[in-house]
PDB file of all heavy atoms in Angstrom:
ATOM      1  N   TYR A   1      98.403 103.066  84.795  1.00  0.00           N
ATOM      2  CA  TYR A   1      99.276 104.229  84.463  1.00  0.00           C
ATOM      3  C   TYR A   1     100.353 103.877  83.465  1.00  0.00           C
ATOM      4  O   TYR A   1     100.943 102.728  83.446  1.00  0.00           O
ATOM      5  CB  TYR A   1      99.863 104.789  85.690  1.00  0.00           C
ATOM      6  CG  TYR A   1      98.826 105.125  86.820  1.00  0.00           C
ATOM      7  CD1 TYR A   1      98.717 104.327  87.879  1.00  0.00           C
ATOM      8  CD2 TYR A   1      98.071 106.292  86.720  1.00  0.00           C
ATOM      9  CE1 TYR A   1      97.797 104.528  88.907  1.00  0.00           C
ATOM     10  CE2 TYR A   1      97.184 106.480  87.703  1.00  0.00           C
ATOM     11  CZ  TYR A   1      96.976 105.675  88.824  1.00  0.00           C
ATOM     12  OH  TYR A   1      96.008 105.992  89.787  1.00  0.00           O
ATOM     13  N   GLU A   2     100.751 104.838  82.746  1.00  0.00           N
ATOM     14  CA  GLU A   2     102.013 104.723  81.885  1.00  0.00           C
ATOM     15  C   GLU A   2     103.225 105.049  82.685  1.00  0.00           C
ATOM     16  O   GLU A   2     103.635 106.186  82.759  1.00  0.00           O
ATOM     17  CB  GLU A   2     101.840 105.634  80.621  1.00  0.00           C
ATOM     18  CG  GLU A   2     100.754 105.079  79.648  1.00  0.00           C
ATOM     19  CD  GLU A   2     100.837 105.609  78.243  1.00  0.00           C
ATOM     20  OE1 GLU A   2     101.812 106.436  77.976  1.00  0.00           O
ATOM     21  OE2 GLU A   2      99.921 105.336  77.476  1.00  0.00           O
ATOM     22  N   ILE A   3     103.708 104.087  83.304  1.00  0.00           N
ATOM     23  CA  ILE A   3     104.909 104.194  84.300  1.00  0.00           C
ATOM     24  C   ILE A   3     106.158 104.034  83.451  1.00  0.00           C
ATOM     25  O   ILE A   3     106.303 103.037  82.874  1.00  0.00           O
ATOM     26  CB  ILE A   3     104.815 103.352  85.494  1.00  0.00           C
ATOM     27  CG1 ILE A   3     103.572 103.649  86.282  1.00  0.00           C
ATOM     28  CG2 ILE A   3     106.112 103.329  86.282  1.00  0.00           C
ATOM     29  CD1 ILE A   3     103.316 102.778  87.426  1.00  0.00           C
ATOM     30  N   GLU A   4     107.021 105.096  83.439  1.00  0.00           N
ATOM     31  CA  GLU A   4     108.152 105.116  82.498  1.00  0.00           C
ATOM     32  C   GLU A   4     109.479 104.697  83.285  1.00  0.00           C
ATOM     33  O   GLU A   4     110.415 104.169  82.565  1.00  0.00           O
ATOM     34  CB  GLU A   4     108.370 106.434  81.933  1.00  0.00           C
ATOM     35  CG  GLU A   4     107.102 106.978  81.124  1.00  0.00           C
ATOM     36  CD  GLU A   4     107.324 108.425  80.616  1.00  0.00           C
ATOM     37  OE1 GLU A   4     108.515 108.947  80.682  1.00  0.00           O
ATOM     38  OE2 GLU A   4     106.309 108.893  80.198  1.00  0.00           O
ATOM     39  N   THR A   5     109.549 104.969  84.547  1.00  0.00           N
ATOM     40  CA  THR A   5     110.838 104.670  85.297  1.00  0.00           C
ATOM     41  C   THR A   5     110.586 103.941  86.595  1.00  0.00           C
ATOM     42  O   THR A   5     109.439 103.846  87.152  1.00  0.00           O
ATOM     43  CB  THR A   5     111.508 105.986  85.620  1.00  0.00           C
ATOM     44  OG1 THR A   5     110.700 106.705  86.595  1.00  0.00           O
ATOM     45  CG2 THR A   5     111.747 106.907  84.406  1.00  0.00           C
ATOM     46  N   GLN A   6     111.627 103.324  87.029  1.00  0.00           N
ATOM     47  CA  GLN A   6     111.574 102.572  88.316  1.00  0.00           C
ATOM     48  C   GLN A   6     111.331 103.618  89.496  1.00  0.00           C
ATOM     49  O   GLN A   6     110.557 103.353  90.390  1.00  0.00           O
ATOM     50  CB  GLN A   6     112.929 101.876  88.567  1.00  0.00           C
ATOM     51  CG  GLN A   6     113.196 100.769  87.715  1.00  0.00           C
ATOM     52  CD  GLN A   6     114.455  99.959  87.893  1.00  0.00           C
ATOM     53  OE1 GLN A   6     115.146 100.279  88.841  1.00  0.00           O
ATOM     54  NE2 GLN A   6     114.735  99.086  87.111  1.00  0.00           N
ATOM     55  N   GLU A   7     111.893 104.836  89.334  1.00  0.00           N
ATOM     56  CA  GLU A   7     111.667 105.848  90.350  1.00  0.00           C
ATOM     57  C   GLU A   7     110.168 106.287  90.425  1.00  0.00           C
ATOM     58  O   GLU A   7     109.554 106.377  91.534  1.00  0.00           O
ATOM     59  CB  GLU A   7     112.524 107.092  90.059  1.00  0.00           C
ATOM     60  CG  GLU A   7     113.977 106.875  90.260  1.00  0.00           C
ATOM     61  CD  GLU A   7     114.667 106.207  89.011  1.00  0.00           C
ATOM     62  OE1 GLU A   7     114.073 106.010  88.002  1.00  0.00           O
ATOM     63  OE2 GLU A   7     115.733 105.652  89.207  1.00  0.00           O
ATOM     64  N   GLU A   8     109.537 106.403  89.292  1.00  0.00           N
ATOM     65  CA  GLU A   8     108.125 106.758  89.214  1.00  0.00           C
ATOM     66  C   GLU A   8     107.363 105.578  89.887  1.00  0.00           C
ATOM     67  O   GLU A   8     106.364 105.820  90.697  1.00  0.00           O
ATOM     68  CB  GLU A   8     107.699 106.912  87.832  1.00  0.00           C
ATOM     69  CG  GLU A   8     106.181 107.280  87.698  1.00  0.00           C
ATOM     70  CD  GLU A   8     105.763 107.566  86.261  1.00  0.00           C
ATOM     71  OE1 GLU A   8     106.556 107.477  85.326  1.00  0.00           O
ATOM     72  OE2 GLU A   8     104.580 107.621  86.094  1.00  0.00           O
ATOM     73  N   LEU A   9     107.699 104.392  89.624  1.00  0.00           N
ATOM     74  CA  LEU A   9     107.060 103.188  90.269  1.00  0.00           C
ATOM     75  C   LEU A   9     107.234 103.188  91.807  1.00  0.00           C
ATOM     76  O   LEU A   9     106.279 102.956  92.544  1.00  0.00           O
ATOM     77  CB  LEU A   9     107.497 101.871  89.668  1.00  0.00           C
ATOM     78  CG  LEU A   9     106.795 100.619  89.939  1.00  0.00           C
ATOM     79  CD1 LEU A   9     105.312 100.755  89.733  1.00  0.00           C
ATOM     80  CD2 LEU A   9     107.279  99.501  89.068  1.00  0.00           C
ATOM     81  N   VAL A  10     108.385 103.539  92.244  1.00  0.00           N
ATOM     82  CA  VAL A  10     108.672 103.638  93.682  1.00  0.00           C
ATOM     83  C   VAL A  10     107.712 104.680  94.370  1.00  0.00           C
ATOM     84  O   VAL A  10     107.112 104.458  95.327  1.00  0.00           O
ATOM     85  CB  VAL A  10     110.147 103.992  93.940  1.00  0.00           C
ATOM     86  CG1 VAL A  10     110.371 104.397  95.456  1.00  0.00           C
ATOM     87  CG2 VAL A  10     111.043 102.816  93.629  1.00  0.00           C
ATOM     88  N   GLU A  11     107.587 105.816  93.628  1.00  0.00           N
ATOM     89  CA  GLU A  11     106.723 106.799  94.214  1.00  0.00           C
ATOM     90  C   GLU A  11     105.301 106.501  94.138  1.00  0.00           C
ATOM     91  O   GLU A  11     104.600 106.735  95.172  1.00  0.00           O
ATOM     92  CB  GLU A  11     106.915 108.166  93.328  1.00  0.00           C
ATOM     93  CG  GLU A  11     108.197 108.846  93.620  1.00  0.00           C
ATOM     94  CD  GLU A  11     108.504 109.189  95.019  1.00  0.00           C
ATOM     95  OE1 GLU A  11     107.552 109.787  95.718  1.00  0.00           O
ATOM     96  OE2 GLU A  11     109.604 108.903  95.481  1.00  0.00           O
ATOM     97  N   ARG A  12     104.776 105.734  93.073  1.00  0.00           N
ATOM     98  CA  ARG A  12     103.404 105.333  93.124  1.00  0.00           C
ATOM     99  C   ARG A  12     103.206 104.229  94.264  1.00  0.00           C
ATOM    100  O   ARG A  12     102.137 104.328  94.888  1.00  0.00           O
ATOM    101  CB  ARG A  12     103.101 104.705  91.733  1.00  0.00           C
ATOM    102  CG  ARG A  12     103.026 105.743  90.681  1.00  0.00           C
ATOM    103  CD  ARG A  12     101.693 105.757  89.952  1.00  0.00           C
ATOM    104  NE  ARG A  12     101.760 106.614  88.848  1.00  0.00           N
ATOM    105  CZ  ARG A  12     100.861 107.642  88.611  1.00  0.00           C
ATOM    106  NH1 ARG A  12      99.940 107.699  89.511  1.00  0.00           N
ATOM    107  NH2 ARG A  12     100.958 108.390  87.645  1.00  0.00           N
ATOM    108  N   LEU A  13     104.197 103.394  94.453  1.00  0.00           N
ATOM    109  CA  LEU A  13     103.994 102.420  95.511  1.00  0.00           C
ATOM    110  C   LEU A  13     103.890 103.154  96.884  1.00  0.00           C
ATOM    111  O   LEU A  13     103.146 102.720  97.729  1.00  0.00           O
ATOM    112  CB  LEU A  13     105.155 101.451  95.468  1.00  0.00           C
ATOM    113  CG  LEU A  13     105.105 100.331  94.371  1.00  0.00           C
ATOM    114  CD1 LEU A  13     106.433  99.647  94.236  1.00  0.00           C
ATOM    115  CD2 LEU A  13     103.966  99.402  94.623  1.00  0.00           C
ATOM    116  N   LYS A  14     104.667 104.150  97.108  1.00  0.00           N
ATOM    117  CA  LYS A  14     104.691 104.929  98.318  1.00  0.00           C
ATOM    118  C   LYS A  14     103.334 105.540  98.651  1.00  0.00           C
ATOM    119  O   LYS A  14     102.865 105.471  99.667  1.00  0.00           O
ATOM    120  CB  LYS A  14     105.778 106.020  98.326  1.00  0.00           C
ATOM    121  CG  LYS A  14     107.177 105.582  98.583  1.00  0.00           C
ATOM    122  CD  LYS A  14     108.211 106.471  98.646  1.00  0.00           C
ATOM    123  CE  LYS A  14     109.531 105.935  98.836  1.00  0.00           C
ATOM    124  NZ  LYS A  14     110.658 106.992  98.818  1.00  0.00           N
ATOM    125  N   THR A  15     102.710 106.001  97.492  1.00  0.00           N
ATOM    126  CA  THR A  15     101.322 106.678  97.755  1.00  0.00           C
ATOM    127  C   THR A  15     100.358 105.589  98.087  1.00  0.00           C
ATOM    128  O   THR A  15      99.364 105.864  98.572  1.00  0.00           O
ATOM    129  CB  THR A  15     100.885 107.488  96.525  1.00  0.00           C
ATOM    130  OG1 THR A  15     100.756 106.584  95.351  1.00  0.00           O
ATOM    131  CG2 THR A  15     101.875 108.665  96.231  1.00  0.00           C
ATOM    132  N   GLU A  16     100.667 104.372  97.720  1.00  0.00           N
ATOM    133  CA  GLU A  16      99.722 103.178  97.986  1.00  0.00           C
ATOM    134  C   GLU A  16     100.081 102.523  99.251  1.00  0.00           C
ATOM    135  O   GLU A  16      99.455 101.564  99.689  1.00  0.00           O
ATOM    136  CB  GLU A  16      99.943 102.124  96.879  1.00  0.00           C
ATOM    137  CG  GLU A  16      99.573 102.693  95.427  1.00  0.00           C
ATOM    138  CD  GLU A  16      98.120 102.619  95.282  1.00  0.00           C
ATOM    139  OE1 GLU A  16      97.290 101.912  95.817  1.00  0.00           O
ATOM    140  OE2 GLU A  16      97.659 103.528  94.445  1.00  0.00           O
ATOM    141  N   GLY A  17     101.102 103.120 100.052  1.00  0.00           N
ATOM    142  CA  GLY A  17     101.360 102.557 101.370  1.00  0.00           C
ATOM    143  C   GLY A  17     102.497 101.394 101.286  1.00  0.00           C
ATOM    144  O   GLY A  17     102.721 100.763 102.374  1.00  0.00           O
ATOM    145  N   PHE A  18     103.097 101.327 100.156  1.00  0.00           N
ATOM    146  CA  PHE A  18     104.289 100.275 100.169  1.00  0.00           C
ATOM    147  C   PHE A  18     105.604 101.070 100.245  1.00  0.00           C
ATOM    148  O   PHE A  18     105.856 101.907  99.595  1.00  0.00           O
ATOM    149  CB  PHE A  18     104.225  99.545  98.862  1.00  0.00           C
ATOM    150  CG  PHE A  18     103.136  98.696  98.683  1.00  0.00           C
ATOM    151  CD1 PHE A  18     101.902  99.085  98.147  1.00  0.00           C
ATOM    152  CD2 PHE A  18     103.041  97.286  99.162  1.00  0.00           C
ATOM    153  CE1 PHE A  18     100.815  98.237  97.854  1.00  0.00           C
ATOM    154  CE2 PHE A  18     101.980  96.513  98.968  1.00  0.00           C
ATOM    155  CZ  PHE A  18     100.812  96.930  98.384  1.00  0.00           C
ATOM    156  N   SER A  19     106.349 100.503 101.195  1.00  0.00           N
ATOM    157  CA  SER A  19     107.762 101.023 101.256  1.00  0.00           C
ATOM    158  C   SER A  19     108.735 100.163 100.401  1.00  0.00           C
ATOM    159  O   SER A  19     108.874  98.994 100.776  1.00  0.00           O
ATOM    160  CB  SER A  19     108.185 101.013 102.714  1.00  0.00           C
ATOM    161  OG  SER A  19     109.509 101.497 102.820  1.00  0.00           O
ATOM    162  N   ALA A  20     109.236 100.749  99.366  1.00  0.00           N
ATOM    163  CA  ALA A  20     110.149 100.027  98.517  1.00  0.00           C
ATOM    164  C   ALA A  20     111.223 100.911  97.954  1.00  0.00           C
ATOM    165  O   ALA A  20     110.991 102.103  97.731  1.00  0.00           O
ATOM    166  CB  ALA A  20     109.362  99.425  97.349  1.00  0.00           C
ATOM    167  N   THR A  21     112.363 100.372  97.854  1.00  0.00           N
ATOM    168  CA  THR A  21     113.538 101.085  97.296  1.00  0.00           C
ATOM    169  C   THR A  21     113.646 100.821  95.698  1.00  0.00           C
ATOM    170  O   THR A  21     112.908  99.895  95.229  1.00  0.00           O
ATOM    171  CB  THR A  21     114.898 100.714  97.909  1.00  0.00           C
ATOM    172  OG1 THR A  21     115.058  99.345  97.622  1.00  0.00           O
ATOM    173  CG2 THR A  21     114.868 100.826  99.452  1.00  0.00           C
ATOM    174  N   GLN A  22     114.409 101.579  95.164  1.00  0.00           N
ATOM    175  CA  GLN A  22     114.526 101.393  93.672  1.00  0.00           C
ATOM    176  C   GLN A  22     115.179 100.038  93.471  1.00  0.00           C
ATOM    177  O   GLN A  22     114.770  99.313  92.561  1.00  0.00           O
ATOM    178  CB  GLN A  22     115.434 102.535  93.184  1.00  0.00           C
ATOM    179  CG  GLN A  22     115.665 102.519  91.597  1.00  0.00           C
ATOM    180  CD  GLN A  22     116.820 101.598  91.143  1.00  0.00           C
ATOM    181  OE1 GLN A  22     117.823 101.494  91.913  1.00  0.00           O
ATOM    182  NE2 GLN A  22     116.715 101.021  90.070  1.00  0.00           N
ATOM    183  N   ALA A  23     116.098  99.638  94.234  1.00  0.00           N
ATOM    184  CA  ALA A  23     116.726  98.339  94.145  1.00  0.00           C
ATOM    185  C   ALA A  23     115.587  97.140  94.253  1.00  0.00           C
ATOM    186  O   ALA A  23     115.602  96.170  93.498  1.00  0.00           O
ATOM    187  CB  ALA A  23     117.797  98.045  95.089  1.00  0.00           C
ATOM    188  N   THR A  24     114.671  97.365  95.241  1.00  0.00           N
ATOM    189  CA  THR A  24     113.585  96.294  95.369  1.00  0.00           C
ATOM    190  C   THR A  24     112.709  96.279  94.271  1.00  0.00           C
ATOM    191  O   THR A  24     112.366  95.200  93.707  1.00  0.00           O
ATOM    192  CB  THR A  24     112.844  96.730  96.652  1.00  0.00           C
ATOM    193  OG1 THR A  24     113.651  96.705  97.809  1.00  0.00           O
ATOM    194  CG2 THR A  24     111.726  95.735  96.822  1.00  0.00           C
ATOM    195  N   VAL A  25     112.383  97.513  93.724  1.00  0.00           N
ATOM    196  CA  VAL A  25     111.469  97.567  92.506  1.00  0.00           C
ATOM    197  C   VAL A  25     112.170  96.965  91.340  1.00  0.00           C
ATOM    198  O   VAL A  25     111.581  96.246  90.527  1.00  0.00           O
ATOM    199  CB  VAL A  25     111.000  99.015  92.221  1.00  0.00           C
ATOM    200  CG1 VAL A  25     110.453  99.198  90.890  1.00  0.00           C
ATOM    201  CG2 VAL A  25     110.052  99.503  93.372  1.00  0.00           C
ATOM    202  N   SER A  26     113.449  97.153  91.133  1.00  0.00           N
ATOM    203  CA  SER A  26     114.253  96.604  90.074  1.00  0.00           C
ATOM    204  C   SER A  26     114.153  95.062  90.118  1.00  0.00           C
ATOM    205  O   SER A  26     114.026  94.344  89.202  1.00  0.00           O
ATOM    206  CB  SER A  26     115.756  97.104  90.188  1.00  0.00           C
ATOM    207  OG  SER A  26     116.527  96.463  89.135  1.00  0.00           O
ATOM    208  N   ARG A  27     114.357  94.473  91.379  1.00  0.00           N
ATOM    209  CA  ARG A  27     114.183  93.064  91.509  1.00  0.00           C
ATOM    210  C   ARG A  27     112.800  92.600  91.103  1.00  0.00           C
ATOM    211  O   ARG A  27     112.621  91.528  90.524  1.00  0.00           O
ATOM    212  CB  ARG A  27     114.617  92.532  92.944  1.00  0.00           C
ATOM    213  CG  ARG A  27     116.100  92.562  93.177  1.00  0.00           C
ATOM    214  CD  ARG A  27     116.449  91.917  94.508  1.00  0.00           C
ATOM    215  NE  ARG A  27     115.916  92.709  95.583  1.00  0.00           N
ATOM    216  CZ  ARG A  27     116.539  93.757  96.266  1.00  0.00           C
ATOM    217  NH1 ARG A  27     117.794  94.127  95.739  1.00  0.00           N
ATOM    218  NH2 ARG A  27     116.000  94.287  97.207  1.00  0.00           N
ATOM    219  N   ASP A  28     111.808  93.371  91.605  1.00  0.00           N
ATOM    220  CA  ASP A  28     110.429  92.996  91.294  1.00  0.00           C
ATOM    221  C   ASP A  28     110.168  92.926  89.845  1.00  0.00           C
ATOM    222  O   ASP A  28     109.495  92.004  89.249  1.00  0.00           O
ATOM    223  CB  ASP A  28     109.467  94.007  91.973  1.00  0.00           C
ATOM    224  CG  ASP A  28     109.405  93.743  93.488  1.00  0.00           C
ATOM    225  OD1 ASP A  28     109.745  92.638  93.977  1.00  0.00           O
ATOM    226  OD2 ASP A  28     108.936  94.711  94.132  1.00  0.00           O
ATOM    227  N   ILE A  29     110.724  93.965  89.105  1.00  0.00           N
ATOM    228  CA  ILE A  29     110.583  94.120  87.599  1.00  0.00           C
ATOM    229  C   ILE A  29     111.171  92.852  87.048  1.00  0.00           C
ATOM    230  O   ILE A  29     110.498  92.256  86.068  1.00  0.00           O
ATOM    231  CB  ILE A  29     111.261  95.360  87.085  1.00  0.00           C
ATOM    232  CG1 ILE A  29     110.335  96.587  87.531  1.00  0.00           C
ATOM    233  CG2 ILE A  29     111.395  95.279  85.639  1.00  0.00           C
ATOM    234  CD1 ILE A  29     110.943  97.868  87.308  1.00  0.00           C
ATOM    235  N   ARG A  30     112.282  92.497  87.451  1.00  0.00           N
ATOM    236  CA  ARG A  30     112.943  91.241  86.829  1.00  0.00           C
ATOM    237  C   ARG A  30     112.113  89.958  87.176  1.00  0.00           C
ATOM    238  O   ARG A  30     111.803  89.108  86.303  1.00  0.00           O
ATOM    239  CB  ARG A  30     114.410  90.947  87.371  1.00  0.00           C
ATOM    240  CG  ARG A  30     115.425  91.770  86.553  1.00  0.00           C
ATOM    241  CD  ARG A  30     116.782  91.272  86.906  1.00  0.00           C
ATOM    242  NE  ARG A  30     117.146  91.244  88.349  1.00  0.00           N
ATOM    243  CZ  ARG A  30     117.513  92.327  89.053  1.00  0.00           C
ATOM    244  NH1 ARG A  30     117.645  93.491  88.495  1.00  0.00           N
ATOM    245  NH2 ARG A  30     117.787  92.198  90.338  1.00  0.00           N
ATOM    246  N   LYS A  31     111.610  89.804  88.461  1.00  0.00           N
ATOM    247  CA  LYS A  31     110.815  88.766  88.808  1.00  0.00           C
ATOM    248  C   LYS A  31     109.541  88.612  88.053  1.00  0.00           C
ATOM    249  O   LYS A  31     109.113  87.562  87.705  1.00  0.00           O
ATOM    250  CB  LYS A  31     110.485  88.798  90.303  1.00  0.00           C
ATOM    251  CG  LYS A  31     109.590  87.766  90.883  1.00  0.00           C
ATOM    252  CD  LYS A  31     110.182  86.492  91.028  1.00  0.00           C
ATOM    253  CE  LYS A  31     109.220  85.566  91.726  1.00  0.00           C
ATOM    254  NZ  LYS A  31     109.369  84.206  91.515  1.00  0.00           N
ATOM    255  N   LEU A  32     108.910  89.736  87.733  1.00  0.00           N
ATOM    256  CA  LEU A  32     107.665  89.784  87.099  1.00  0.00           C
ATOM    257  C   LEU A  32     107.863  89.783  85.539  1.00  0.00           C
ATOM    258  O   LEU A  32     106.823  89.709  84.836  1.00  0.00           O
ATOM    259  CB  LEU A  32     106.841  91.002  87.429  1.00  0.00           C
ATOM    260  CG  LEU A  32     106.376  91.118  88.864  1.00  0.00           C
ATOM    261  CD1 LEU A  32     105.865  92.445  89.256  1.00  0.00           C
ATOM    262  CD2 LEU A  32     105.323  90.093  89.167  1.00  0.00           C
ATOM    263  N   SER A  33     109.043  89.785  85.057  1.00  0.00           N
ATOM    264  CA  SER A  33     109.354  89.771  83.598  1.00  0.00           C
ATOM    265  C   SER A  33     108.810  90.909  82.915  1.00  0.00           C
ATOM    266  O   SER A  33     108.394  90.859  81.782  1.00  0.00           O
ATOM    267  CB  SER A  33     108.967  88.460  82.972  1.00  0.00           C
ATOM    268  OG  SER A  33     109.583  87.367  83.634  1.00  0.00           O
ATOM    269  N   LEU A  34     108.740  92.093  83.563  1.00  0.00           N
ATOM    270  CA  LEU A  34     108.190  93.258  82.851  1.00  0.00           C
ATOM    271  C   LEU A  34     109.056  93.772  81.825  1.00  0.00           C
ATOM    272  O   LEU A  34     110.332  93.549  81.842  1.00  0.00           O
ATOM    273  CB  LEU A  34     107.959  94.385  83.859  1.00  0.00           C
ATOM    274  CG  LEU A  34     107.061  94.098  85.117  1.00  0.00           C
ATOM    275  CD1 LEU A  34     106.929  95.309  86.034  1.00  0.00           C
ATOM    276  CD2 LEU A  34     105.674  93.518  84.581  1.00  0.00           C
ATOM    277  N   LYS A  35     108.573  94.257  80.751  1.00  0.00           N
ATOM    278  CA  LYS A  35     109.202  94.815  79.695  1.00  0.00           C
ATOM    279  C   LYS A  35     108.833  96.245  79.463  1.00  0.00           C
ATOM    280  O   LYS A  35     107.899  96.798  80.036  1.00  0.00           O
ATOM    281  CB  LYS A  35     108.858  94.047  78.369  1.00  0.00           C
ATOM    282  CG  LYS A  35     109.188  92.602  78.376  1.00  0.00           C
ATOM    283  CD  LYS A  35     110.687  92.180  78.543  1.00  0.00           C
ATOM    284  CE  LYS A  35     110.776  90.724  78.695  1.00  0.00           C
ATOM    285  NZ  LYS A  35     111.923  90.411  79.385  1.00  0.00           N
ATOM    286  N   LYS A  36     109.458  96.925  78.535  1.00  0.00           N
ATOM    287  CA  LYS A  36     109.080  98.398  78.206  1.00  0.00           C
ATOM    288  C   LYS A  36     108.532  98.256  76.806  1.00  0.00           C
ATOM    289  O   LYS A  36     108.999  97.568  75.854  1.00  0.00           O
ATOM    290  CB  LYS A  36     110.243  99.246  78.298  1.00  0.00           C
ATOM    291  CG  LYS A  36     110.602  99.682  79.769  1.00  0.00           C
ATOM    292  CD  LYS A  36     111.198 101.079  79.738  1.00  0.00           C
ATOM    293  CE  LYS A  36     111.250 101.601  81.220  1.00  0.00           C
ATOM    294  NZ  LYS A  36     111.840 102.813  81.266  1.00  0.00           N
ATOM    295  N   ALA A  37     107.581  99.067  76.567  1.00  0.00           N
ATOM    296  CA  ALA A  37     106.874  99.284  75.228  1.00  0.00           C
ATOM    297  C   ALA A  37     106.469 100.744  75.087  1.00  0.00           C
ATOM    298  O   ALA A  37     106.502 101.460  76.134  1.00  0.00           O
ATOM    299  CB  ALA A  37     105.668  98.326  75.105  1.00  0.00           C
ATOM    300  N   ILE A  38     106.212 101.164  73.896  1.00  0.00           N
ATOM    301  CA  ILE A  38     105.850 102.487  73.602  1.00  0.00           C
ATOM    302  C   ILE A  38     104.352 102.639  74.125  1.00  0.00           C
ATOM    303  O   ILE A  38     103.484 101.919  73.638  1.00  0.00           O
ATOM    304  CB  ILE A  38     106.018 102.914  72.154  1.00  0.00           C
ATOM    305  CG1 ILE A  38     107.450 102.729  71.758  1.00  0.00           C
ATOM    306  CG2 ILE A  38     105.411 104.344  71.918  1.00  0.00           C
ATOM    307  CD1 ILE A  38     108.520 103.534  72.526  1.00  0.00           C
ATOM    308  N   GLY A  39     104.122 103.607  74.902  1.00  0.00           N
ATOM    309  CA  GLY A  39     102.739 104.006  75.452  1.00  0.00           C
ATOM    310  C   GLY A  39     101.998 104.904  74.490  1.00  0.00           C
ATOM    311  O   GLY A  39     102.499 105.320  73.523  1.00  0.00           O
ATOM    312  N   ALA A  40     100.712 105.222  74.872  1.00  0.00           N
ATOM    313  CA  ALA A  40      99.954 106.136  74.072  1.00  0.00           C
ATOM    314  C   ALA A  40     100.611 107.518  73.909  1.00  0.00           C
ATOM    315  O   ALA A  40     100.395 108.192  72.933  1.00  0.00           O
ATOM    316  CB  ALA A  40      98.610 106.251  74.658  1.00  0.00           C
ATOM    317  N   SER A  41     101.411 107.896  74.924  1.00  0.00           N
ATOM    318  CA  SER A  41     102.119 109.114  74.920  1.00  0.00           C
ATOM    319  C   SER A  41     103.234 109.146  73.922  1.00  0.00           C
ATOM    320  O   SER A  41     103.911 110.247  73.659  1.00  0.00           O
ATOM    321  CB  SER A  41     102.571 109.501  76.305  1.00  0.00           C
ATOM    322  OG  SER A  41     103.591 108.644  76.669  1.00  0.00           O
ATOM    323  N   GLY A  42     103.647 108.004  73.432  1.00  0.00           N
ATOM    324  CA  GLY A  42     104.761 107.874  72.562  1.00  0.00           C
ATOM    325  C   GLY A  42     106.087 107.687  73.253  1.00  0.00           C
ATOM    326  O   GLY A  42     107.212 107.583  72.720  1.00  0.00           O
ATOM    327  N   ARG A  43     106.032 107.531  74.629  1.00  0.00           N
ATOM    328  CA  ARG A  43     107.185 107.351  75.453  1.00  0.00           C
ATOM    329  C   ARG A  43     107.137 105.821  75.976  1.00  0.00           C
ATOM    330  O   ARG A  43     106.070 105.314  76.005  1.00  0.00           O
ATOM    331  CB  ARG A  43     107.128 108.267  76.601  1.00  0.00           C
ATOM    332  CG  ARG A  43     107.213 109.865  76.126  1.00  0.00           C
ATOM    333  CD  ARG A  43     107.000 110.813  77.231  1.00  0.00           C
ATOM    334  NE  ARG A  43     107.974 110.618  78.293  1.00  0.00           N
ATOM    335  CZ  ARG A  43     109.048 111.447  78.414  1.00  0.00           C
ATOM    336  NH1 ARG A  43     109.273 112.431  77.659  1.00  0.00           N
ATOM    337  NH2 ARG A  43     109.904 111.146  79.408  1.00  0.00           N
TER     338      ARG A  43
END
């Protein structure tokens, strides 16, 4: 998916059965060295 925000990622994780806060996801993003790039939607 073209996930744009940490909040969107938290919601997707919840639908997958993972309980995570925005702060947890923020730490995961840093740990995984994720970056942002322009997606097909231009966002």
Side-chain angles (χ1 to χ4, degrees):
Y1 305 102
E2 291 198 359
I3 297 177
E4 299 177 16
T5 65
Q6 291 179 6
E7 293 79 13
E8 183 180 350
L9 192 50
V10 167
E11 289 304 313
R12 292 237 184 232
L13 286 168
K14 282 183 185 176
T15 63
E16 300 282 330
F18 291 93
S19 177
T21 64
Q22 183 272 329
T24 300
V25 168
S26 178
R27 285 189 294 274
D28 288 340
I29 288 169
R30 274 195 309 278
K31 171 77 172 149
L32 295 168
S33 302
L34 300 183
K35 305 291 180 208
K36 282 210 170 178
I38 302 300
S41 66
R43 299 174 57 103

